């Protein structure tokens, strides 16, 4: 009776599995281990599993075993860095994890030392770690090779399905198996196969031999002959059925800087993974490996400088590829544009310093969506190519191309590639059933003949295995499956650019929104708040020190060391809130340190600046520094707690000295228990605690519809997967409005500031809000203090406004993105939560309302309702996410005209970085404006010391999509360079106007 192809394939897999039991000729157990210096036996529990522990042992290889065929097999019960020490001081180091447990050795006498943790690659604790396995084997190379080859044939047949070559592959494999001279001695056979799944199900096995015999020389030789004949047959089939498609393989080990483990463990993961990759390079001239992230290499300088030097040699040899050009693989939705610029600036500078090269490829496989500002930032950093695969995770809609030009806000383009590998994505495998679907899914094959494929265990590191390297060699002779060779990512993109020069590739215009992981815009509010404070604090400290330099003080020092800390914590599993609790304890401490350092630098800069202010008779003076391009009225909280809210204006990028006696309230300010009013706004707070009326006096328009700042709790925030990452579209089906406040109280009623306090309680949590109006305010601030003690709930503010518009404006890095407020298509329906930086605005001709914030990112705009997520409390991977107290401020701002006509950005800047004020005496009143910007309205990004040479670096950007004239006004004796890139080097600029829509412009300011 003839079998079907499927039946024959099943039989092939069963018979192939049998070979594995004869993979070793002989084996010996390695005894005599110590655990932190104390004896430990095989299969004994670890005495403890706290921190990093050390195993040690000495071993000897039997004299009749050929060294080149000896392997060390270890399973110590966790992840380890193992070092094999040989006579004469030689040593070799490897990473040990569930996927890397077999190692070559170089001499008969050696010892082993380890640094081990009772953890698995994804941070899971091994709660009962044991010394599971430690033995030397004499590998039967012919059996090993044949076993692997037959496995690959089975995988190829599975992947190729009904392809014409499949029966030929199975027939060739069957012939190879039939040609074997195989043992059948009962005792050895039963003992060898006892570990098979089928045998383990037997009620009771007979007594087993401790060290059953392997194949004899003739039997081993038959396996070698079968292998050789099978390779010949595969080559013949390859001529008839040539490879279909081509993949460029890049060895890879995605190592999350912190995620399900703290950063201290990542430092150990790096050493394990990098040593493993280097060991593979020593044994294969073809193998290639890539690793991004300048921070990792900088960490190696401290942790293992010898390892870094070995890596640098492999980089010089063209075997190890540093990629990415950024300090880390950051989230790109939440960092400010200046932060993203510093990712490239400090990343590229580090790679050039250490390795003598810059990168042209941005490598972000795992980030949760991409800002439309990124293409321009990359191009200005010397990067013309972009890689990710995360776009394939979108739930509903997919970008229709996988080799395309990505066009940013300003029109800059980077060549983008993504591959769709169903077998672990960027953590791919070297095997036919990975190659075939990856090539099949490559939609760009009609334009380009090769797709990239990153292979190697990742996320928790580990990388490529020796088997993967061996598989690649065997697969060179296979028919029908895609051709796949190790190569360099840079080489792939160079070829892709040649294709793009000859063929018209698709274009994706604007942000790349991921239809998944939307909750990362809200989870772990504490680190998001501190990150924004750290960004603003550094930018402000640099700016004030630079203004002082323009007035005659010395050149300020670089704050790169503090910026590196901020950039590190922008990593795509730290800032998004998807890590364990220990990560956030570390991150918040580090960011607090940056904020403290920045405040100290700011104080030093203010002192330097004050030394260059003219003396005078103001004995009770207030110095106000405006570190932005927004003219702002004086609002300040003094050292004694007094609040000033004056009509006096502080010009952009200027220093103003006022006599405090002249700083009168800006105008009328009224307040009672339910209302606040100044010359700009009239506010009524309803009995439900929400804003029942917000009148914009200049237009007479009521800004809201029904009630604004409605607080809603969603107690079923329980996504089907990825607890900290996701919020499901039906989260609002169950909702509780907080509309019965415990109290509404007028708590401040001064001429400069008035405030109404509203207190809500939800189950175990308390929300306290102050509605604040200052005398000069054009916005209603809502200072919010939350004490949260409820799990898997989401708190949002909803703001129905009296505006009709089909689009809403969301601020993003270096500009804005307009998103639809309707849900006509599946694309719009999917964008129910999206990123905004400091404001979201809804405007119609002549009037609009903005929602501003100083700490939040998750927003929505549906119809006329602007929503913002305030806090959520998942239980995985941090069961206590956002537990306890937090504070932040958001604001409602009605305005005339469009957002850019109604000064929305200026108010958002003021909310996030108030004027910097200091009290003094003996100064002359007046204003010094050492730097002016004239012409088309632009926004300020940064003013900092140049990284190389003298002078300052000024960076501005156009935030609204306008073009026109732009000029700088500098102090006498200063001049501005021509245009620079982000790396602070001269570039040719082709724009027809001084500033183009959403353009980023950079200059060097230096003395003539």
């Amino acid at each position: 009776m003839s079998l079907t192809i499927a039946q024959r394939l099943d039989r092939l897999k069963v018979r192939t599995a049998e070979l594995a039991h004869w993979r070793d000729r002989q084996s010996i157990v390695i005894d005599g281990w110590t655990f932190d210096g104390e004896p430990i036996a095989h299969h004994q529990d670890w005495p403890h599993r706290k921190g990093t522990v050390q195993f040690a042992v000495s071993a000897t290889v039997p004299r009749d075993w050929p060294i080149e065929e000896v392997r060390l097999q270890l399973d110590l019960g966790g992840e380890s860095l193992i070092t094999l020490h040989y006579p004469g001081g030689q040593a070799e180091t490897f990473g040990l994890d569930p996927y890397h447990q077999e190692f070559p050795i170089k001499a008969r006498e050696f010892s082993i030392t380890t640094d081990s943790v009772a953890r698995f690659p994804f941070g899971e604790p091994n709660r009962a770690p044991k010394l599971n396995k430690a033995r030397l084997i004499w590998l039967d190379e012919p059996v090993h090779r044949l076993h692997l080859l037959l496995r690959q044939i089975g995988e190829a047949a599975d992947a190729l399905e009904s392809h014409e070559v499949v029966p030929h592959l199975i027939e060739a494999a069957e012939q190879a198996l039939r040609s074997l001279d195989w043992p059948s001695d009962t005792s050895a056979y039963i003992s060898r196969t006892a570990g098979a799944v089928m045998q383990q199900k037997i009620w009771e096995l007979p007594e087993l031999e401790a060290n059953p015999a392997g194949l004899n020389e003739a039997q081993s030789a038959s396996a070698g002959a079968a292998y050789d004949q099978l390779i010949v047959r595969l080559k013949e089939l390859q001529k008839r059925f040539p490879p279909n498609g081509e993949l460029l393989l890049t060895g890879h080990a995605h190592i999350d800087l912190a995620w399900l483990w703290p950063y201290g463990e990542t430092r150990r993961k790096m050493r394990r993974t990098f040593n493993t990759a280097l060991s593979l390079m020593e044994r294969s001239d073809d193998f290639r490996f890539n690793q991004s992230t300048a921070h990792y290499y900088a960490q190696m300088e401290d942790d293992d400088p010898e390892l870094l030097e070995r890596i640098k040699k492999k980089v010089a040899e063209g075997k190890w590829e540093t990629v990415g050009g950024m300090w880390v693989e950051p989230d790109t939705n939440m960092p400010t544009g200046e932060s993203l610029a510093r990712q490239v600036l400090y990343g590229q500078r580090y790679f050039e310093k250490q390795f003598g090269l810059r990168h042209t490829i941005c490598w972000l496989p795992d980030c949760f969506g991409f800002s439309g500002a990124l293409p321009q930032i990359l191009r200005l950093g010397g990067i013309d190519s972009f890689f990710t695969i995360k776009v394939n995770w979108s739930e509903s809609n997919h970008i229709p191309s996988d080799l395309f030009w990505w066009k940013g806000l300003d029109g800059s383009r980077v060549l983008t590639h993504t591959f769709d590998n169903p077998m672990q994505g960027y953590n791919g495998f070297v095997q036919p059933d990975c190659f075939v679907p990856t090539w099949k899914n490559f939609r760009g094959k009609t334009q380009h003949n090769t797709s990239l494929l990153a292979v190697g265990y990742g996320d928790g590191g580990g990388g490529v295995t020796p088997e993967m390297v061996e598989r690649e060699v065997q697969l060179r002779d296979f028919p029908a499956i895609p051709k796949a060779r190790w190569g360099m990512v840079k080489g792939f993109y160079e070829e892709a650019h040649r294709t793009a020069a000859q063929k018209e590739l698709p274009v994706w215009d604007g942000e790349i929104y991921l239809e998944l992981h939307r909750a990362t815009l809200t989870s772990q509010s504490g680190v998001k708040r501190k990150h924004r404070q750290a960004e603003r604090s550094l930018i402000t400290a640099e700016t004030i020190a630079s203004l002082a330099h323009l007035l005659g003080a010395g050149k300020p020092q670089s704050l790169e060391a503090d910026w590196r800390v901020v950039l590190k914590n922008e990593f795509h599993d730290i800032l998004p809130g998807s890590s364990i609790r220990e990560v956030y304890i570390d991150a918040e401490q580090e960011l607090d340190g940056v904020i403290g350092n920045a405040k100290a630098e700011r104080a030093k800069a203010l002192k330097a600046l004050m030394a260059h202010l003219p003396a005078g008779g103001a004995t009770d003076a207030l110095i106000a520094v405006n570190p932005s391009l927004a003219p702002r009225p004086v609002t300040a909280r003094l050292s004694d707690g007094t609040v000033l809210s004056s009509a006096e204006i502080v010009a952009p990028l200027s220093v103003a000295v006022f006599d405090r006696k002249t700083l009168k309230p800006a105008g009328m300010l009224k307040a009672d228990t339910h209302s606040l009013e100044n010359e700009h706004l009239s506010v009524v707070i309803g009995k439900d605690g929400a804003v029942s009326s917000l009148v914009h006096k200049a237009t007479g328009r009521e800004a809201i519809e029904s009630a604004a700042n409605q607080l809603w709790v969603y107690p079923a925030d329980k996504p089907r997967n990825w607890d900290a990452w996701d919020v499901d579209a039906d989260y609002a089906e169950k909702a509780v409005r907080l509309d019965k406040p415990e109290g509404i109280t007028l708590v401040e009623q001064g001429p400069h500031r008035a405030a109404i306090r509203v207190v809500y309680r939800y189950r175990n949590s308390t929300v306290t809000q102050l509605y604040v109006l200052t005398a000069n305010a054009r916005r209603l601030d809502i200072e919010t203090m939350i004490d949260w003690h409820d799990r898997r709930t989401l708190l949002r503010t909803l703001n129905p406004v009296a505006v009709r518009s089909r689009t809403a404006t969301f601020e993003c890095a270096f500009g804005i993105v307009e998103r639809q407020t309707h849900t006509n298509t599946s694309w719009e329906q999917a964008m129910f939560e999206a990123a905004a930086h400091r404001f979201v605005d809804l405007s119609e001709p002549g009037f609009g309302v903005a929602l501003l914030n100083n700490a939040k990112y998750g927003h929505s705009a549906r119809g006329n309702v602007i929503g913002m997520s305030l806090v959520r409390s998942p239980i995985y991977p941090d069961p206590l996410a956002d537990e306890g107290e937090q504070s932040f401020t958001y604001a409602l701002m009605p305005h005339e005209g469009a957002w850019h006509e109604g000064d929305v950005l200026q108010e958002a800047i003021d909310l996030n970085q108030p004027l910097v004020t200091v009290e003094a005496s003996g100064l002359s009143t007046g204003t010094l404006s050492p730097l002016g910007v004239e012409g088309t309205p632009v926004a300020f990004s940064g003013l900092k010391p140049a990284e190389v040479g003298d002078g300052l670096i000024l960076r501005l950007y156009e935030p609204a999509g306008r073009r026109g004239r732009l000029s700088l006004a500098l102090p006498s004796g200063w001049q501005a360079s021509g245009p620079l890139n982000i790396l602070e080097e001269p570039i040719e600029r082709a724009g027809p106007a001084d500033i183009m829509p959403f353009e980023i412009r950079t200059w060097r300011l230096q003395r003539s």
Side-chain angles (χ1 to χ4, degrees):
M1 181 181 72
S2 61
L3 300 180
T4 66
I5 291 296
Q7 290 167 333
R8 290 170 68 190
L9 182 55
D10 284 343
R11 183 176 65 188
L12 171 62
K13 292 176 182 177
V14 170
R15 293 182 178 178
T16 298
E18 180 189 10
L19 272 62
H21 301 296
W22 275 266
R23 185 172 174 269
D24 60 274
R25 293 173 182 245
Q26 297 178 35
S27 67
I28 58 170
V29 173
I30 302 174
D31 285 319
W33 287 88
T34 61
F35 176 99
D36 283 349
E38 297 297 323
I40 184 171
H42 269 260
H43 307 297
Q44 181 181 332
D45 291 336
W46 288 20
H48 69 83
R49 55 185 185 89
K50 298 176 182 177
T52 305
V53 303
Q54 285 74 43
F55 285 88
V57 76
S58 295
T60 302
V61 178
R63 288 188 176 277
D64 58 337
W65 291 14
I67 285 295
E68 65 276 8
E69 296 177 12
V70 177
R71 299 291 184 270
L72 168 66
Q73 293 183 337
L74 290 179
D75 179 359
L76 302 179
E79 286 197 277
S80 301
L81 184 72
I82 68 167
T83 302
L84 309 185
H85 304 272
Y86 298 107
Q90 284 189 313
E92 188 168 18
T93 303
F94 303 90
L96 169 65
D97 59 46
Y99 316 113
H100 299 79
Q101 295 190 338
E102 186 170 291
F103 312 97
I105 64 169
K106 294 181 175 180
R108 294 194 183 279
E109 303 289 336
F110 65 97
S111 62
I112 307 169
T113 59
T114 82
D115 287 329
S116 304
V117 292
R119 300 275 175 177
F120 297 117
F122 282 80
E124 316 100 300
N126 185 351
R127 300 191 186 280
K130 296 182 179 182
L131 199 167
N132 295 313
K133 183 191 333 183
R135 68 176 193 155
L136 292 171
I137 67 165
W138 177 2
L139 183 68
D140 195 321
E141 289 274 9
V143 175
H144 165 72
R145 293 198 309 269
L146 180 61
H147 174 246
L148 181 57
L149 185 60
L150 289 169
R151 284 169 57 199
Q152 299 220 85
I153 288 174
E155 292 160 356
D158 272 333
L160 293 169
E161 297 176 332
S162 59
H163 192 286
E164 187 180 350
V165 77
V166 171
H168 299 283
L169 287 172
I170 295 175
E171 174 63 25
E174 290 171 339
Q175 288 178 1
L177 286 166
R178 284 194 291 267
S179 73
L180 295 178
D181 178 9
W182 209 249
S184 58
D185 175 75
T186 297
S187 180
Y189 201 101
I190 292 173
S191 298
R192 282 267 174 179
T193 59
V197 173
M198 176 177 64
Q199 300 303 94
Q200 286 290 304
K201 295 178 180 179
I202 293 174
W203 180 275
E204 192 71 45
L205 286 168
E207 186 175 345
L208 304 176
E209 291 185 30
N211 202 354
L215 302 189
N216 60 36
E217 290 300 328
Q219 292 164 342
S220 180
S222 75
Y227 179 86
D228 293 340
Q229 287 301 313
L230 191 48
I231 290 291
V232 169
R233 182 63 178 136
L234 289 172
K235 289 180 177 179
E236 291 172 351
L237 289 172
Q238 192 182 67
K239 293 176 183 177
R240 182 175 172 187
F241 304 100
N244 177 27
E246 186 168 346
L247 301 172
L248 186 141
L249 302 179
T250 176
H252 180 49
H254 187 67
I255 306 175
D256 284 312
L257 190 141
W259 180 28
L260 303 177
W261 51 87
Y263 177 64
E265 185 62 25
T266 304
R267 293 168 68 169
R268 293 187 282 272
K269 285 179 179 290
M270 284 188 276
R271 295 182 67 200
R272 298 174 201 139
T273 301
F274 295 175
N275 275 290
T276 294
L278 289 170
S279 74
L280 293 174
M281 288 177 186
E282 290 184 10
R283 292 166 176 86
S284 170
D285 288 334
D286 298 319
F287 175 61
R288 300 291 181 268
F289 182 79
N290 88 68
Q291 179 63 57
S292 72
T293 305
H295 177 80
Y296 288 167
Y297 299 102
Q299 188 69 68
M300 281 300 108
E301 287 188 77
D302 296 331
D303 291 357
D304 198 335
E306 187 272 336
L307 176 59
L308 179 61
E309 289 304 311
R310 291 169 59 206
I311 291 171
K312 289 167 73 171
K313 289 179 181 177
K314 294 301 180 185
V315 171
E317 292 172 11
K319 292 185 175 183
W320 183 299
E321 187 173 16
T322 59
V323 295
M326 299 178 110
W327 190 252
V328 300
E329 293 180 15
D331 174 83
T332 73
N333 286 315
M334 291 176 277
T336 186
E338 187 62 23
S339 281
L340 293 174
R342 302 299 177 97
Q343 286 280 358
V344 175
L345 170 65
Y346 295 131
Q348 289 282 52
R349 281 176 52 79
Y350 183 84
F351 283 118
E352 186 167 35
K353 174 186 174 183
Q354 281 295 336
F355 302 101
L357 51 85
R358 292 182 183 175
H359 294 304
T360 58
I361 303 149
C362 179
W363 183 268
L364 297 179
D366 192 33
C367 300
F368 311 147
F370 303 97
S371 168
L374 203 54
Q376 183 181 191
I377 294 169
L378 297 178
R379 293 306 298 250
L380 288 172
I383 296 171
D384 61 10
S385 305
F386 179 70
F387 171 77
T388 185
I389 76 155
K390 205 69 172 190
V391 293
N392 297 318
W393 285 39
S394 284
E395 294 175 300
S396 303
N397 307 284
H398 294 272
I399 291 177
S401 308
D402 45 21
L403 182 64
F404 58 95
W405 288 109
W406 177 24
K407 183 188 290 187
L409 294 177
D410 73 315
S412 295
R413 304 199 308 178
V414 289
L415 186 61
T416 300
H417 178 51
T418 176
F419 59 78
D420 185 1
N421 166 28
M423 298 184 72
Q424 300 300 314
Y426 50 77
N427 299 320
F429 302 127
V430 181
Q431 54 192 65
D433 46 351
C434 178
F435 292 177
V436 171
T438 300
W439 177 256
K440 181 180 178 181
N441 293 339
F442 180 39
R443 287 162 287 174
K445 60 172 68 77
T446 57
Q447 285 116 344
H448 192 61
N449 62 1
T450 308
S451 176
L452 196 63
L453 177 61
V455 296
Y457 289 96
D459 292 337
V464 177
T465 64
E467 182 181 292
M468 291 180 183
V469 176
E470 194 171 355
R471 278 173 170 270
E472 184 273 330
V473 176
Q474 289 186 351
L475 290 172
R476 296 175 189 179
D477 296 323
F478 270 56
I481 68 169
K483 176 184 176 183
R485 299 290 184 271
W486 299 112
M488 304 293 275
V489 176
K490 183 178 180 182
F492 170 84
Y493 276 97
E494 287 173 349
E495 288 295 324
H497 274 279
R498 280 191 276 272
T499 294
Q502 298 166 5
K503 300 179 181 179
E504 185 174 348
L505 297 183
V507 176
W508 182 265
D509 195 331
E511 68 173 331
I512 296 178
Y513 175 82
L514 180 66
E515 295 178 3
L516 196 71
H517 294 358
R518 302 167 183 87
T520 58
L521 300 171
T522 304
S523 295
Q524 297 287 1
S525 298
V527 79
K528 290 174 168 61
R529 171 66 172 143
K530 289 183 185 298
H531 169 259
R532 191 179 297 187
Q533 288 178 319
E535 286 180 310
R536 300 309 334 164
S537 296
L538 288 176
I539 292 170
T540 298
E542 290 174 334
T543 301
I544 294 176
S546 297
L547 292 175
H549 186 43
L550 289 169
L551 289 173
K555 181 186 173 183
Q557 64 182 11
S558 171
L559 299 185
E560 179 178 355
D562 285 300
W563 270 110
R564 286 185 177 189
V565 176
V566 173
L567 303 181
K568 171 195 169 188
N569 285 291
E570 290 172 353
F571 181 75
H572 62 260
D573 273 313
I574 299 180
L575 184 57
S578 47
S579 290
I580 58 173
R581 180 171 177 78
E582 290 82 352
V583 170
Y584 293 104
I585 293 172
D586 291 346
E588 293 195 31
Q589 287 177 347
E590 289 182 357
L591 292 171
D592 277 337
V594 170
I595 293 165
N597 291 346
K599 287 181 178 178
E601 290 296 327
R602 186 180 74 182
K604 185 167 68 174
L606 283 170
K607 184 176 181 181
L609 188 151
M610 291 166 62
H612 290 80
L613 295 178
T619 57
D620 189 11
L622 180 71
I623 303 170
V625 183
N626 184 354
S628 77
L629 281 178
R632 292 192 263 172
V634 175
T635 303
R637 184 177 289 277
L638 305 181
S639 57
D640 61 1
T642 303
V643 173
L644 296 178
S645 179
S646 166
E648 300 286 345
I649 299 296
V650 183
L653 295 176
S654 71
V655 184
V657 180
F658 299 97
D659 188 328
R660 276 185 55 184
K661 296 188 296 293
T662 67
L663 293 175
K664 304 300 183 184
M668 169 272 296
L669 179 62
K670 298 180 184 177
D672 59 35
T673 307
H674 286 277
S675 67
L676 301 167
E677 185 177 0
N678 67 8
E679 63 178 331
H680 301 294
L681 301 174
S682 176
V683 183
V684 177
I685 308 303
K687 293 181 179 180
D688 59 358
V691 181
S692 60
S693 176
L694 177 60
V695 175
H696 182 247
K697 287 187 171 182
T699 60
R701 283 276 299 262
E702 173 61 68
I704 64 174
E705 189 176 283
S706 66
N709 193 37
Q710 300 176 25
L711 296 183
W712 288 85
V713 176
Y714 303 95
D717 180 22
K718 301 174 181 180
R720 67 186 185 279
N721 201 357
W722 301 108
D723 198 23
W725 292 257
D726 284 352
V727 56
D728 284 352
D730 69 345
Y731 75 89
E733 293 298 317
K734 184 175 183 179
V736 178
R737 185 176 169 197
L738 304 185
D739 57 1
K740 296 178 177 59
E742 290 187 346
I744 301 177
T745 312
L746 179 66
V747 292
E748 293 183 51
Q749 191 178 12
H752 290 272
R753 173 180 153 119
I756 296 170
R757 182 173 62 212
V758 181
V759 180
Y760 302 95
R761 181 172 294 278
Y762 172 76
R763 295 183 182 175
N764 306 294
S765 302
T766 304
V767 179
T768 303
Q769 294 195 312
L770 287 180
Y771 289 106
V772 176
L773 197 65
T774 56
N776 60 14
R778 292 182 293 172
R779 64 179 195 256
L780 173 65
D781 284 356
I782 306 168
E783 297 179 0
T784 304
M785 290 70 66
I786 295 177
D787 189 13
W788 202 254
H789 300 282
D790 290 278
R791 294 294 92 196
R792 303 193 85 181
T793 53
L794 170 64
L795 176 67
R796 305 191 83 232
T797 174
L798 297 182
N799 299 274
V801 298
V803 172
R804 173 168 171 75
S805 177
R806 292 173 59 83
T807 61
T809 301
F810 292 63
E811 191 195 22
C812 66
F814 287 139
I816 53 98
V817 57
E818 293 183 342
R819 301 188 177 111
Q820 303 297 319
T821 60
H822 57 76
T823 55
N824 288 352
T825 71
S826 60
W827 294 85
E828 291 138 7
Q829 292 163 16
M831 203 177 286
F832 58 85
E833 184 88 344
H837 283 197
R838 294 171 292 189
F839 71 85
V840 174
D841 183 81
L842 206 58
S843 292
E844 61 189 33
F847 185 77
V849 181
L851 178 65
L852 320 178
N853 77 87
N854 72 354
K856 299 298 169 184
Y857 296 94
H859 293 76
S860 61
R862 287 288 187 250
N864 70 325
V865 180
I866 305 173
M868 183 168 69
S869 296
L870 304 180
V871 66
R872 67 185 302 269
S873 46
I875 60 172
Y876 178 81
D878 176 5
L880 298 176
D882 275 334
E883 181 78 1
E885 297 180 356
Q886 57 179 289
S887 61
F888 50 87
T889 301
Y890 54 98
L892 287 165
M893 180 190 172
H895 57 84
E896 286 189 83
W899 70 269
H900 52 83
E901 298 167 328
D903 294 339
V904 169
L905 177 59
Q906 288 89 325
E907 290 294 325
I909 290 168
D910 187 70
L911 178 62
N912 280 268
Q913 178 53 72
L915 295 173
V916 177
T917 58
V918 61
E919 296 155 67
S921 64
L923 296 176
S924 175
T925 59
T927 297
L928 294 176
S929 297
L931 176 59
V933 180
E934 301 169 352
T936 305
V938 292
F940 178 76
S941 180
L943 179 62
K944 60 179 284 292
E947 298 297 332
V948 176
D950 294 331
L952 304 170
I953 300 297
L954 171 66
R955 189 158 24 254
L956 310 175
Y957 67 97
E958 197 291 309
R962 297 166 291 201
R963 70 180 71 197
R965 185 182 63 81
L966 188 70
S967 61
L968 305 179
L970 298 172
S972 176
W974 285 78
Q975 63 183 11
S977 71
L980 306 180
N981 59 20
I982 279 174
L983 306 181
E984 304 177 6
E985 299 166 337
I987 55 171
E988 293 292 328
R989 181 181 170 277
D994 293 334
I995 191 78
M996 296 293 291
F998 301 112
E999 184 182 9
I1000 304 164
R1001 291 215 55 187
T1002 305
W1003 298 263
R1004 182 188 295 264
L1005 313 180
Q1006 55 192 146
R1007 289 188 174 91
S1008 304

